[in-house]
Amino acid sequence: IAEPNGIAVHSDNEVYVVSGKKILVLNREGEPIRELVNRGLERPGALAVGPEGNLYVVDLGIPNRVKVFDSQGTLRETFGSMEPFHGTVRFDKLGIPRGIAVDEAGNIILSEMALNRVQKISRDWKPLWDLQAFYCYLGTHDQTDPQWIYGFEGPTFPTIKEYQLDYETGEWSWTKVWYAHKFDDGYSFYGYPSRGGGALTLNGNRYLYIFHKGLRIFRIKGDDLYPVVRFGPRVSFNRADGTRADYMLSTAPTRGPRDACHRHVPAAA
């Protein structure tokens, strides 16, 4: 069994287990007896068996999806949007689902690490309910429009999250999310973003800023988050051989493939 991952009991005599990019069937003694699925999976993880005997597989390829196979290993259904992870939060844009279960009515329950979310979806893939958690190292609000709340999370999965808060009722909803670890000197941050930050709207544009080993400023436009500028003492760049280098400004080389990043990153188009 190569890289065993998810496991689920199919019957008194059979168990399904992930082995690399395949799903194997084991007997009661734990011996592989056949391959159930040997194609169509990128990064299979959690498994669950539905009331009709179908196998539900969380596939953590990009984008994340749930794939349903029958007892013969034939793909029957696929759930999950093909759109990018960033931007508007929706029930069908999955964020690293690590756990899956199927109840006796065929409803699917997913737990998603990247979104701190547990959601229940009907057997015909309609949203029923969800539980969301606000988890971040730094929180702030738009100084000119405080209904918009922003959270910065790191280091395991550096993300910037947007929430909308109703101050009268106390109700809030998670509206957008952006993954911020792109190995881009202007866009990414990695570590514990707890040094301070904020948000404000200027001339119709909403900006976010964060102090984390320097200052980063972002601009929100629709579902996209654009880096405007990064400056400060901490810099990173790619060496000629493609490896990553991190220096403090006082020890950074005077010439290099990313030397412009020592000062600023130009605004994106």
Side-chain angles (χ1 to χ4, degrees):
I1 301 176
E3 301 177 21
N5 199 335
I7 188 170
V9 176
H10 174 238
S11 66
D12 291 341
N13 297 313
E14 292 185 344
V15 173
Y16 296 147
V17 63
V18 171
S19 175
K21 294 185 178 183
K22 301 178 180 180
I23 308 295
L24 303 183
V25 182
L26 311 185
N27 61 20
R28 291 173 63 91
E29 286 70 41
E31 300 168 335
I33 56 177
R34 69 178 186 276
E35 292 180 354
L36 180 67
V37 181
N38 58 19
R39 66 182 65 183
L41 295 173
E42 295 182 52
R43 295 180 60 195
L47 304 179
V49 176
E52 298 177 354
N54 290 334
L55 175 64
Y56 292 70
V57 183
V58 169
D59 192 344
L60 297 178
I62 305 298
N64 301 166
R65 310 189 82 185
V66 176
K67 298 178 179 179
V68 184
F69 298 86
D70 64 21
S71 58
Q72 303 303 311
T74 301
L75 179 64
R76 295 298 184 185
E77 295 181 88
T78 301
F79 169 74
S81 171
M82 294 296 292
E83 296 180 29
F85 171 75
H86 70 266
T88 302
V89 174
R90 299 201 316 255
F91 83 101
D92 62 342
K93 292 173 68 173
L94 304 180
I96 313 184
R98 290 293 191 183
I100 185 171
V102 183
D103 66 18
E104 59 185 12
N107 300 310
I108 301 95
I109 298 93
L110 289 170
S111 62
E112 300 165 80
M113 185 193 78
L115 297 175
N116 303 128
R117 178 173 70 179
V118 176
Q119 61 169 327
K120 185 174 184 178
I121 303 168
S122 70
R123 64 185 305 158
D124 57 349
W125 308 105
K126 301 292 176 54
L128 298 176
W129 54 255
D130 65 81
L131 300 174
Q132 298 180 4
F134 184 97
Y135 178 80
C136 64
Y137 288 92
L138 170 67
T140 187
H141 67 274
D142 189 326
Q143 300 172 35
T144 49
D145 191 359
Q147 68 173 318
W148 300 106
I149 310 294
Y150 295 91
F152 296 84
E153 179 183 342
T156 305
F157 193 78
T159 51
I160 300 174
K161 303 173 181 179
E162 178 188 83
Y163 302 85
Q164 188 173 21
L165 173 63
D166 186 326
Y167 285 86
E168 294 296 325
T169 64
E171 295 181 356
W172 58 274
S173 60
W174 191 355
T175 54
K176 294 178 183 178
V177 62
W178 298 278
Y179 180 44
H181 189 33
K182 290 188 174 182
F183 293 101
D184 181 293
D185 289 289
Y187 192 92
S188 67
F189 66 86
Y190 189 76
Y192 297 90
S194 56
R195 298 295 184 182
L200 72 162
T201 300
L202 295 173
N203 299 323
N205 295 308
R206 182 170 294 127
Y207 296 92
L208 301 178
Y209 57 91
I210 178 174
F211 298 99
H212 177 67
K213 301 173 184 176
L215 173 66
R216 293 164 175 78
I217 301 176
F218 306 93
R219 176 170 58 90
I220 299 174
K221 183 179 180 181
D223 273 356
D224 294 318
L225 186 71
Y226 293 99
V228 175
V229 66
R230 168 182 172 172
F231 57 90
R234 182 74 176 261
V235 297
S236 303
F237 58 88
N238 291 327
R239 298 185 182 95
D241 62 3
T243 59
R244 196 72 177 164
D246 294 299
Y247 291 92
M248 301 302 289
L249 184 59
S250 59
T251 60
T254 56
R255 294 183 178 86
R258 301 292 292 275
D259 192 60
C261 293
H262 298 170
R263 295 172 178 83
H264 73 278
V265 176

